[in-house]
Structures are given as C-alpha cells and as structure tokens.
Amino acid sequence: MEIRKYVLAAIGATACAAMGAYLYSNFEVKNITATSANDNAIQTEIRTIANYAPTDFTEAAESTINGVVHVKILQDSPRQSQYGSSDPLWQFFFGPQYQYQQQPQQPRVTGSGSGVIISENGYIVTNNHVIESADKIEVVLNDRRSFEATLIGTDPTTDIALIKIEATGLHALKFGNSDAMKVGEWVLAVGNPFNLTSTVTAGIISAKARNMGINNNNMAIESFIQTDAAVNPGNSGGALVNTHGEVIGINTAIASQTGSYTGYSFAVPSSIAQKVAQDLMQYGEVQRALLGVQIREMTEELQKETKLDNLDGVYVGGVADGGAAKEAGIETGDVILKINGEKVATVPEVQEKVGMHRPGDNINLKIWRNGKEQDVTVTLRNIRGTTSIINVNDKNQMLGAKLEKVDNDELDKLGLRYGIKVTDLSDGKMKDCGIRKGFIITKANRQPITTPDDFSKVVLNASEGLFIAGIYPNGKIAYYAINLEN
C-alpha cells in the first residue's frame, strides 16, 4: 500500500513525471496485482510515464559484468607432418607414403575472447571459434582470479562451446527469452574487446534471424540477432543482455571490411545457445533435431505457384526419405506458415525454431497446400533418422577405447601437429578391427583430430563407416576401417 500511495502521488503531479518513472522502475509496479478497473488504469498511466523516462543501463551493467569472463587461449608451437598423398582414404586403399618434416620451434601464441558464466559451479558458454585451436584455456574473472578451464564440448554448427572451471559461488547470469525481444529494444554487449576487460556498450536490436553465411559447416544454424552495440575482436563469446540483465544472445561476429566494428554486430540468440549448452552439459554432445526438408524463402513465382495471397511462409523444395517431415506427410510444394503457432518467413527462422528442440520432440506445423491451411504434427529425428537421444558416452563405450590428447613431447618426436592416443582398450569395435594400445589417431573420415571431442563428433556424424589414419609410437603408419552399423 505504501508503494501504491507514492506512485499515485507521482501521477497526480504532472511536474513529477520523471519521479513516477523512477518509482515504476525501482519498485517494479508492473508486478502489482490489479484488483479493480481503477487499478488497471493506474498501471496503464504508470507505464505511459515510464516510457518517457530515459533508459537507465546501470543496473543491467552492474549485474552482468561479474558474470562475463576473459577467455585466453594458449596454442603450442606449430608442428607439421606431411603425407605423400593428402587424402587418407587414398592411402588406405593404395598404401601410405609418409615422410616427416620437422618445423622449427616457434613461440607460443595467444588469443582471447569472452565467456558467460551460466552456473555457480563454473560452467561457461563461449564461441567455438574462440577456443577451437587452443591447447590450453585460461579464464580470468572480473575480480582478476585466474583458472585453467576444461573443454566440455563444442558445436561448430552454432559456433557455441562449453567450458568449465573448478570454482564455486560464481556470479551466474540467467538466460532471457530471445524470441520475445523486438527490433528497436535496447541491449548491452558485455565483453573484453582488445583485452579491455569488463567493457559494456549499448545499442538496439537492429534485426533478427540474420543469416550471414559465415559458418561454413554444412549443417550450420545461422539465425543471428543483429545489433548496433559496439562489438570488436575479443567480444566473441561475451553476453548480449537486455535491460533486465538477462542474456539474450552470445556475441559472435561483426560485419566489417577493416576487422573492427563499423556498426553491425551479430549474436547467437539465447534460444539456441541455452539449448546447446544444456545438451553439452547433460549429454556431452548436441542433440540436433532435424525436420528433414529442403526449404527456401518465398518469391513471387512461388507465390503464384502455391496460390498464396502473400509472401508469408517458407517453401518446401524437397523432402528427405526416411526423415521426420516425410513420416508426417509433408510434401514438396508445401509452404510452412507457422511452427508451434509462431509465423516463419525465412530459412533462419525455421532453423532457429527447429534447433531449439531435441530428437523425439513433437512440433506443430501449419502448412499451406492446395489452397488450404492444414495442421501437421511432426516428430523430429536425429542425424541417423531415429528419435533417440545420442549420448557421446554410449558411442565411446561401443568403440571400447579410452582416448586422450597426445602430449607435446611425443608430438614433437613424431613430427605431428595434433593427434589423440588410445590409452586403453576394452571389448569393442576398435579392438576388433586390430587397433592396439598406444595408437595415435591423426585423422578420422578425412577430418584432423586434435581432441577426443573432435573424434566423438566424427563418430556421431558418420552414417556407415569410420576410416581412421594414424601412427604408432614406433613410427609405423596404420589405417583402419570400422563398420558402425553392426
């Protein structure tokens, strides 16, 4: 009652409109429960007053800077080895031609970015591109404490990574609802540009669901929040927050011809980043849900073909056999108008809304077919065409091997830049195909393997078989083929 009395006094004096806005923001009158029509009118008046008050970023800034960290990467000196043929599959079938070429030792190099603390016990979200080449990750908190971080997992398709430090009682930030944010709303970018720690910049949301084509992964999800908050090198992995201090995006990229901020920056929306982080934390791998369609945005030609009254929706140009959409009855030529009741008009919007889910989840589609709207329920599937959750630990158990990163001394001795070692074997597919303890895996299905996590991703994405190239500690080159279907 006391709060309401002060608010009413503020409303009654038009000269104190700014004070009314102050009381509105500080006492959160928007949460007072209205008990009469008069109360509703009061709240409407308060909101009107608040809209004319200048936006205050101080509380949002103070509540977030301690939850954003400085991520430093340390990369060991480059080493290089050369194969007679650059294609490991060619070598597999026609024999290896391998020669060492030891490169001069180079100084360690460093890079840096930002990260967002999402749990009090040390889980931190950052960008995959910040840490992908790191041999060691150092995290510096806003209070200058420093920790070595462990890489929990990465998702190149969204450019999100999860790391962890051994600490408790940390200042964790909460994720907000990026879907609820509107173009024109104020946001803050918090990070460490140019190693300037705890830097806060302000701007507005300029656009949503931007696809920049900067992620070369063939399954990339790009549905960026575009903002004019200043972001520079070092901001990557930092927080984009709303005026309540909630994380609504992970700052990822800038559009610039100079390499520095020129007015456009982009963030992975929290709807994607939060789901990816939870997957990595719980399963060790991202549970990618697939709709199983080829889609493109509407054009005037497609509008005439489908007899739509406007250019709303996304056109289905193809349906994958055995996929979720096919099973649900989606056909080529359909137009997806809504997903779970929300309109979609671009490919990134569809990717974002599907990417929020896991295999086995049901989503409701409103489609346009033959001049009529129809509702269809689709059960999403994983990359293997099933609805089950894929757990990286289950896959490692199937292979029956314990894998660890090779130490630098052994890499130097063998003239390698990267590799993971088989440190133990139990009954499983690796042992069955002849791999012995001590084998160093350098490539799997043509992909360089620098960490056990890299290897797990190749295994999870392999549809039928796994081709492994590597070397034993005695210098013997070996190649193995593993059937993953049986």
Side-chain angles (χ1 to χ4, degrees):
M1 292 300 296
E2 286 301 312
I3 293 174
R4 186 168 298 170
K5 181 173 68 176
Y6 288 129
V7 172
L8 287 170
I11 295 174
T14 56
C16 295
M19 179 60 72
Y22 173 83
L23 290 171
Y24 171 80
S25 61
N26 283 272
F27 291 108
E28 298 187 18
V29 179
K30 62 181 178 179
N31 292 325
I32 296 176
T33 302
T35 57
S36 67
N38 187 47
D39 284 347
N40 287 330
I42 291 171
Q43 291 191 36
T44 300
E45 184 72 17
I46 294 170
R47 291 177 187 276
T48 301
I49 294 170
N51 287 336
Y52 286 98
T55 302
D56 186 354
F57 301 118
T58 56
E59 290 188 11
E62 289 173 0
S63 67
T64 54
I65 56 174
N66 289 318
V68 177
V69 302
H70 196 180
V71 178
K72 297 181 179 181
I73 68 163
L74 301 177
Q75 185 179 20
D76 290 322
S77 58
R79 288 164 291 270
Q80 184 174 351
S81 60
Q82 293 184 342
Y83 289 80
S85 169
S86 60
D87 189 340
L89 295 183
W90 175 276
Q91 297 175 11
F92 181 83
F93 289 110
F94 298 99
Q97 295 179 349
Y98 184 93
Q99 57 185 351
Y100 300 114
Q101 181 173 326
Q102 184 72 37
Q103 298 297 318
Q105 191 80 0
Q106 299 292 329
R108 292 163 64 90
V109 296
T110 62
S112 69
S114 303
V116 180
I117 301 173
I118 61 170
S119 72
E120 293 182 355
N121 63 340
Y123 283 99
I124 297 169
V125 172
T126 185
N127 283 141
N128 175 63
H129 77 260
V130 170
I131 52 83
E132 64 181 342
S133 61
D135 292 311
K136 180 181 178 182
I137 304 170
E138 180 185 358
V139 168
V140 182
L141 305 183
N142 193 45
D143 61 11
R144 299 184 183 180
R145 284 185 294 164
S146 178
F147 298 84
E148 183 173 350
T150 301
L151 179 63
I152 301 301
T154 63
D155 180 34
T157 65
T158 58
D159 198 19
I160 293 295
L162 185 68
I163 60 179
K164 188 178 188 301
I165 60 175
E166 295 303 317
T168 57
L170 299 177
H171 182 79
L173 301 187
K174 294 181 179 180
F175 282 106
N177 184 358
S178 57
D179 289 341
M181 298 296 292
K182 297 180 180 179
V183 173
E185 286 197 61
W186 283 104
V187 288
L188 302 179
V190 188
N192 304 278
F194 303 122
N195 289 319
L196 299 172
T197 58
S198 305
T199 296
V200 180
T201 58
I204 62 168
I205 294 179
S206 306
K208 296 178 67 177
R210 286 292 198 206
N211 186 333
M212 301 297 295
I214 58 178
N215 192 329
N216 294 324
N217 191 288
N218 60 3
M219 294 184 67
I221 298 178
E222 288 193 6
S223 185
F224 294 121
I225 297 172
Q226 180 181 330
T227 174
D228 64 355
V231 170
N232 277 294
N235 272 112
S236 290
L240 186 70
V241 302
N242 59 24
T243 53
H244 301 295
E246 299 168 329
V247 179
I248 53 94
I250 301 298
N251 295 316
T252 299
I254 59 177
S256 170
Q257 295 180 346
T258 65
S260 297
Y261 174 76
T262 56
Y264 305 97
S265 56
F266 303 90
V268 177
S270 60
S271 59
I272 293 176
Q274 183 177 16
K275 187 264 181 182
V276 170
Q278 290 174 341
D279 282 354
L280 293 175
M281 195 182 303
Q282 185 172 354
Y283 305 107
E285 287 294 332
V286 175
Q287 304 303 315
R288 181 74 182 271
L290 302 177
L291 187 56
V293 293
Q294 296 175 352
I295 54 177
R296 61 179 186 265
E297 292 169 14
M298 294 293 292
T299 63
E300 291 183 352
E301 290 77 11
L302 292 176
Q303 179 189 359
K304 294 177 182 178
E305 176 187 323
T306 57
K307 300 179 181 179
L308 266 173
D309 295 332
N310 48 51
L311 293 174
D312 290 345
V314 176
Y315 182 82
V316 178
V319 181
D321 291 334
K326 184 86 170 182
E327 183 69 19
I330 302 295
E331 300 175 0
T332 300
D334 289 345
V335 179
I336 301 173
L337 301 175
K338 294 182 179 180
I339 297 180
N340 289 339
E342 297 183 11
K343 291 182 179 181
V344 291
T346 66
V347 171
E349 286 178 337
V350 174
Q351 291 178 327
E352 179 180 353
K353 296 190 184 304
V354 173
M356 295 164 56
H357 296 276
R358 296 188 175 104
D361 289 350
N362 291 330
I363 62 172
N364 299 314
L365 303 184
K366 185 175 288 294
I367 65 170
W368 177 268
R369 180 190 297 169
N370 297 328
K372 296 180 180 179
E373 291 185 356
Q374 298 183 28
D375 292 313
V376 180
T377 299
V378 181
T379 302
L380 299 173
R381 302 191 176 191
N382 60 34
I383 195 170
R384 296 185 179 279
T386 71
T387 58
S388 61
I389 294 294
I390 299 175
N391 194 312
V392 64
N393 295 325
D394 295 338
K395 292 298 180 182
N396 288 340
Q397 186 175 4
M398 176 189 71
L399 292 173
K402 183 179 180 180
L403 305 171
E404 295 180 1
K405 196 170 181 179
V406 184
D407 64 59
N408 296 330
D409 290 340
E410 190 162 12
L411 290 176
D412 286 335
K413 180 180 177 182
L414 294 172
L416 300 173
R417 292 183 57 198
Y418 46 77
I420 60 172
K421 178 182 280 190
V422 178
T423 58
D424 198 12
L425 282 168
S426 57
D427 291 337
K429 291 186 176 291
M430 279 197 173
K431 186 175 182 180
D432 293 343
C433 78
I435 292 178
R436 301 191 305 275
K437 184 177 177 180
F439 182 62
I440 297 174
I441 300 171
T442 57
K443 288 190 177 182
N445 287 1
R446 304 188 182 188
Q447 300 299 314
I449 304 299
T450 61
T451 66
D453 186 61
D454 291 341
F455 185 74
S456 295
K457 290 185 184 303
V458 173
V459 174
L460 287 172
N461 291 325
S463 57
E464 298 177 355
L466 187 66
F467 295 92
I468 298 174
I471 184 173
Y472 282 97
N474 62 4
K476 180 181 178 182
I477 308 301
Y479 303 87
Y480 297 96
I482 298 176
N483 186 347
L484 296 176
E485 289 192 321
N486 299 327

Coordinates of all heavy atoms in Angstrom, one line a residue, residues 291 293 295 298 306 308 312-316 319 325-326 328-344 350 363-378:
L291 N 14.3 -31.7 -39.2 CA 13.0 -31.8 -39.8 C 13.0 -32.6 -41.1 O 12.0 -33.3 -41.4 CB 12.5 -30.3 -40.2 CG 11.1 -30.2 -40.6 CD1 10.1 -30.8 -39.6 CD2 10.8 -28.7 -40.8
V293 N 13.8 -31.6 -44.4 CA 13.3 -30.9 -45.6 C 14.3 -30.0 -46.2 O 15.2 -29.5 -45.5 CB 12.0 -30.1 -45.3 CG1 10.8 -30.9 -44.9 CG2 12.3 -29.0 -44.2
I295 N 14.4 -26.3 -47.8 CA 13.5 -25.2 -47.8 C 14.1 -23.9 -48.4 O 15.3 -23.8 -48.4 CB 13.0 -24.8 -46.3 CG1 14.2 -24.6 -45.4 CG2 12.1 -25.9 -45.8 CD1 13.8 -24.2 -44.0
M298 N 10.1 -17.6 -49.9 CA 9.1 -17.4 -50.9 C 9.5 -16.3 -51.9 O 10.2 -15.3 -51.5 CB 7.8 -17.0 -50.3 CG 7.1 -18.2 -49.5 SD 6.6 -19.6 -50.5 CE 5.3 -18.8 -51.4
T306 N 1.9 -21.5 -55.6 CA 1.2 -22.1 -54.5 C -0.2 -21.4 -54.2 O -0.9 -21.8 -53.3 CB 2.0 -22.0 -53.2 OG1 2.4 -20.6 -53.0 CG2 3.3 -22.8 -53.4
L308 N -0.8 -18.5 -52.9 CA -0.9 -17.8 -51.6 C -1.3 -16.3 -51.9 O -0.9 -15.8 -53.0 CB 0.4 -17.9 -50.9 CG 0.6 -19.0 -49.9 CD1 2.1 -19.0 -49.4 CD2 -0.3 -18.8 -48.7
D312 N 4.2 -14.8 -47.3 CA 4.5 -15.4 -46.0 C 4.9 -16.8 -46.1 O 4.5 -17.5 -47.1 CB 3.2 -15.3 -45.1 CG 2.9 -13.9 -44.6 OD1 3.8 -13.0 -44.8 OD2 1.8 -13.6 -44.2
G313 N 5.6 -17.3 -45.1 CA 6.0 -18.7 -45.1 C 7.3 -19.1 -45.8 O 7.9 -18.2 -46.3
V314 N 7.6 -20.4 -45.7 CA 8.8 -20.9 -46.3 C 8.5 -22.1 -47.2 O 7.7 -23.0 -46.7 CB 9.8 -21.3 -45.2 CG1 11.1 -22.0 -45.8 CG2 10.2 -20.1 -44.3
Y315 N 9.0 -22.1 -48.4 CA 8.6 -23.1 -49.4 C 9.4 -24.4 -49.2 O 10.6 -24.4 -49.0 CB 8.8 -22.6 -50.8 CG 8.5 -23.5 -51.9 CD1 7.1 -23.6 -52.3 CD2 9.4 -24.3 -52.5 CE1 6.8 -24.4 -53.4 CE2 9.1 -25.1 -53.6 CZ 7.7 -25.2 -54.0 OH 7.4 -26.0 -55.0
V316 N 8.7 -25.6 -49.2 CA 9.4 -26.9 -49.1 C 9.8 -27.3 -50.5 O 8.9 -27.7 -51.3 CB 8.4 -27.9 -48.4 CG1 9.1 -29.3 -48.4 CG2 8.1 -27.4 -47.0
V319 N 11.8 -33.2 -49.8 CA 11.6 -33.9 -48.5 C 12.5 -35.1 -48.5 O 12.5 -35.9 -49.5 CB 10.1 -34.3 -48.4 CG1 9.9 -35.0 -47.0 CG2 9.2 -33.1 -48.5
A325 N 9.8 -35.1 -41.6 CA 8.7 -34.5 -42.4 C 8.0 -35.5 -43.3 O 6.8 -35.5 -43.5 CB 9.3 -33.4 -43.3
K326 N 8.8 -36.4 -43.9 CA 8.2 -37.4 -44.8 C 7.3 -38.3 -44.0 O 6.2 -38.6 -44.5 CB 9.3 -38.3 -45.4 CG 8.9 -39.3 -46.4 CD 8.8 -38.7 -47.8 CE 8.6 -39.8 -48.8 NZ 8.5 -39.2 -50.2
A328 N 5.6 -37.5 -41.4 CA 4.4 -36.8 -41.0 C 3.5 -36.4 -42.2 O 2.4 -35.8 -42.0 CB 4.9 -35.5 -40.3
G329 N 4.0 -36.7 -43.4 CA 3.1 -36.4 -44.6 C 3.4 -35.1 -45.3 O 2.6 -34.7 -46.1
I330 N 4.5 -34.4 -44.9 CA 4.9 -33.1 -45.6 C 5.3 -33.5 -47.0 O 6.0 -34.5 -47.2 CB 6.0 -32.4 -44.8 CG1 5.6 -32.1 -43.4 CG2 6.4 -31.2 -45.6 CD1 4.5 -31.1 -43.3
E331 N 4.9 -32.6 -48.0 CA 5.2 -32.9 -49.4 C 5.9 -31.7 -50.0 O 5.8 -30.6 -49.5 CB 3.9 -33.1 -50.1 CG 3.1 -34.3 -49.6 CD 1.7 -34.4 -50.4 OE1 1.5 -33.6 -51.3 OE2 1.0 -35.4 -50.0
T332 N 6.7 -32.0 -51.1 CA 7.3 -31.0 -51.9 C 6.2 -30.1 -52.4 O 5.2 -30.5 -52.9 CB 8.1 -31.6 -53.0 OG1 9.1 -32.4 -52.5 CG2 8.8 -30.5 -53.9
G333 N 6.4 -28.8 -52.3 CA 5.4 -27.8 -52.7 C 4.6 -27.2 -51.6 O 3.9 -26.2 -51.8
D334 N 4.7 -27.8 -50.4 CA 4.0 -27.3 -49.3 C 4.7 -26.0 -48.8 O 5.9 -25.8 -49.1 CB 4.0 -28.2 -48.1 CG 3.1 -29.4 -48.3 OD1 2.3 -29.4 -49.2 OD2 3.2 -30.4 -47.5
V335 N 4.0 -25.1 -48.1 CA 4.5 -23.9 -47.6 C 4.3 -24.0 -46.1 O 3.2 -24.1 -45.6 CB 3.9 -22.7 -48.1 CG1 4.5 -21.4 -47.5 CG2 4.0 -22.6 -49.7
I336 N 5.4 -23.9 -45.3 CA 5.3 -23.8 -43.9 C 5.0 -22.4 -43.4 O 5.8 -21.5 -43.7 CB 6.6 -24.3 -43.2 CG1 7.0 -25.7 -43.7 CG2 6.6 -24.3 -41.7 CD1 8.3 -26.2 -43.2
L337 N 3.9 -22.2 -42.8 CA 3.4 -20.9 -42.4 C 3.8 -20.6 -40.9 O 4.2 -19.5 -40.6 CB 1.9 -20.7 -42.6 CG 1.4 -20.9 -44.0 CD1 -0.1 -20.9 -44.0 CD2 2.0 -19.9 -45.0
K338 N 3.6 -21.6 -40.1 CA 3.9 -21.4 -38.7 C 4.5 -22.6 -38.1 O 4.3 -23.8 -38.5 CB 2.5 -21.1 -37.9 CG 1.9 -19.8 -38.2 CD 0.6 -19.6 -37.4 CE -0.1 -18.3 -37.7 NZ -1.3 -18.1 -36.9
I339 N 5.3 -22.4 -37.0 CA 5.9 -23.5 -36.2 C 5.5 -23.3 -34.8 O 5.8 -22.2 -34.2 CB 7.4 -23.6 -36.4 CG1 7.8 -23.9 -37.8 CG2 7.9 -24.7 -35.4 CD1 9.3 -24.1 -38.0
N340 N 4.7 -24.2 -34.2 CA 4.2 -24.0 -32.8 C 3.5 -22.7 -32.6 O 3.7 -22.0 -31.6 CB 5.3 -24.2 -31.8 CG 5.8 -25.6 -31.7 OD1 5.1 -26.6 -32.1 ND2 7.0 -25.8 -31.2
G341 N 2.7 -22.3 -33.6 CA 1.9 -21.2 -33.6 C 2.6 -19.9 -33.9 O 1.9 -18.8 -33.9
E342 N 3.9 -19.9 -34.2 CA 4.6 -18.6 -34.5 C 4.9 -18.6 -36.0 O 5.4 -19.6 -36.6 CB 5.9 -18.6 -33.7 CG 5.6 -18.5 -32.2 CD 6.9 -18.4 -31.4 OE1 8.0 -18.1 -32.0 OE2 6.9 -18.5 -30.2
K343 N 4.7 -17.4 -36.6 CA 4.9 -17.3 -38.0 C 6.4 -17.4 -38.4 O 7.3 -17.0 -37.6 CB 4.4 -15.9 -38.5 CG 2.9 -15.8 -38.4 CD 2.5 -14.4 -39.0 CE 1.0 -14.2 -39.0 NZ 0.6 -12.9 -39.5
V344 N 6.7 -18.0 -39.5 CA 8.0 -18.1 -40.0 C 8.0 -17.6 -41.5 O 7.1 -17.9 -42.2 CB 8.6 -19.5 -40.0 CG1 8.8 -20.0 -38.6 CG2 7.6 -20.5 -40.7
V350 N 13.1 -20.8 -39.4 CA 12.8 -22.2 -39.3 C 13.9 -22.9 -38.6 O 13.7 -23.8 -37.7 CB 12.5 -22.8 -40.7 CG1 12.3 -24.3 -40.6 CG2 11.3 -22.2 -41.4
I363 N 6.7 -31.1 -32.9 CA 6.4 -29.7 -33.2 C 5.2 -29.7 -34.1 O 4.9 -30.6 -34.9 CB 7.6 -29.0 -33.9 CG1 7.9 -29.6 -35.2 CG2 8.8 -29.0 -33.0 CD1 9.0 -28.9 -36.0
N364 N 4.4 -28.6 -34.0 CA 3.2 -28.4 -34.8 C 3.4 -27.4 -35.9 O 3.9 -26.3 -35.7 CB 2.0 -27.9 -33.9 CG 1.7 -28.9 -32.8 OD1 1.6 -30.1 -33.0 ND2 1.5 -28.4 -31.6
L365 N 3.2 -27.9 -37.1 CA 3.3 -27.0 -38.3 C 2.0 -26.7 -38.9 O 1.1 -27.5 -38.9 CB 4.2 -27.8 -39.4 CG 5.6 -28.3 -39.0 CD1 6.2 -28.9 -40.3 CD2 6.4 -27.2 -38.4
K366 N 1.9 -25.4 -39.3 CA 0.7 -25.0 -40.1 C 1.2 -24.8 -41.5 O 2.1 -24.0 -41.7 CB 0.1 -23.7 -39.5 CG -1.2 -23.3 -40.3 CD -1.9 -22.1 -39.7 CE -2.6 -22.5 -38.4 NZ -3.7 -23.5 -38.5
I367 N 0.7 -25.6 -42.4 CA 1.2 -25.6 -43.8 C 0.1 -25.1 -44.7 O -1.1 -25.2 -44.4 CB 1.7 -27.0 -44.2 CG1 0.6 -28.0 -44.2 CG2 2.9 -27.4 -43.3 CD1 1.0 -29.3 -44.9
W368 N 0.5 -24.7 -45.9 CA -0.4 -24.3 -47.0 C -0.3 -25.4 -48.1 O 0.8 -25.6 -48.6 CB -0.1 -23.0 -47.5 CG -0.9 -22.5 -48.6 CD1 -0.6 -22.6 -49.9 CD2 -2.2 -21.8 -48.6 NE1 -1.6 -22.0 -50.7 CE2 -2.6 -21.5 -49.9 CE3 -3.0 -21.4 -47.5 CZ2 -3.7 -20.8 -50.2 CZ3 -4.2 -20.7 -47.8 CH2 -4.5 -20.5 -49.1
R369 N -1.4 -26.0 -48.5 CA -1.4 -27.0 -49.5 C -2.7 -27.0 -50.3 O -3.8 -27.0 -49.7 CB -1.1 -28.4 -49.0 CG -1.1 -29.5 -50.0 CD -1.1 -30.9 -49.4 NE 0.1 -31.1 -48.6 CZ 0.2 -32.2 -47.8 NH1 -0.8 -33.0 -47.7 NH2 1.3 -32.3 -47.1
N370 N -2.6 -26.9 -51.6 CA -3.8 -26.9 -52.5 C -4.8 -25.9 -52.1 O -6.0 -26.1 -52.0 CB -4.4 -28.3 -52.4 CG -3.5 -29.4 -53.0 OD1 -2.7 -29.1 -53.9 ND2 -3.6 -30.6 -52.5
G371 N -4.3 -24.7 -51.7 CA -5.2 -23.6 -51.4 C -5.8 -23.6 -50.0 O -6.7 -22.8 -49.8
K372 N -5.3 -24.5 -49.2 CA -5.9 -24.6 -47.8 C -4.8 -24.7 -46.8 O -3.7 -25.2 -47.1 CB -6.8 -25.8 -47.7 CG -8.0 -25.8 -48.6 CD -8.9 -27.0 -48.4 CE -10.1 -27.0 -49.3 NZ -10.9 -28.2 -49.2
E373 N -5.1 -24.2 -45.6 CA -4.2 -24.4 -44.4 C -4.5 -25.8 -43.8 O -5.6 -26.2 -43.7 CB -4.4 -23.3 -43.4 CG -4.0 -21.9 -43.9 CD -4.1 -20.9 -42.8 OE1 -4.6 -21.2 -41.7 OE2 -3.6 -19.7 -43.0
Q374 N -3.4 -26.4 -43.4 CA -3.5 -27.7 -42.7 C -2.6 -27.7 -41.5 O -1.5 -27.0 -41.5 CB -3.1 -28.9 -43.6 CG -4.0 -29.0 -44.8 CD -3.6 -30.3 -45.6 OE1 -3.1 -31.2 -45.1 NE2 -3.9 -30.2 -46.9
D375 N -3.0 -28.4 -40.4 CA -2.1 -28.6 -39.2 C -1.5 -30.0 -39.3 O -2.2 -31.0 -39.5 CB -2.9 -28.4 -38.0 CG -3.4 -26.9 -37.8 OD1 -2.6 -26.0 -38.0 OD2 -4.6 -26.7 -37.5
V376 N -0.2 -30.0 -39.1 CA 0.6 -31.3 -39.1 C 1.5 -31.3 -37.9 O 2.1 -30.4 -37.5 CB 1.4 -31.4 -40.4 CG1 2.2 -32.7 -40.4 CG2 0.6 -31.2 -41.6
T377 N 1.5 -32.5 -37.2 CA 2.4 -32.7 -36.1 C 3.6 -33.6 -36.6 O 3.4 -34.6 -37.2 CB 1.7 -33.5 -34.9 OG1 0.6 -32.6 -34.5 CG2 2.6 -33.7 -33.8
V378 N 4.8 -33.1 -36.3 CA 6.0 -33.7 -36.8 C 6.8 -34.2 -35.6 O 7.1 -33.4 -34.7 CB 6.8 -32.8 -37.7 CG1 8.1 -33.5 -38.2 CG2 6.0 -32.3 -38.9

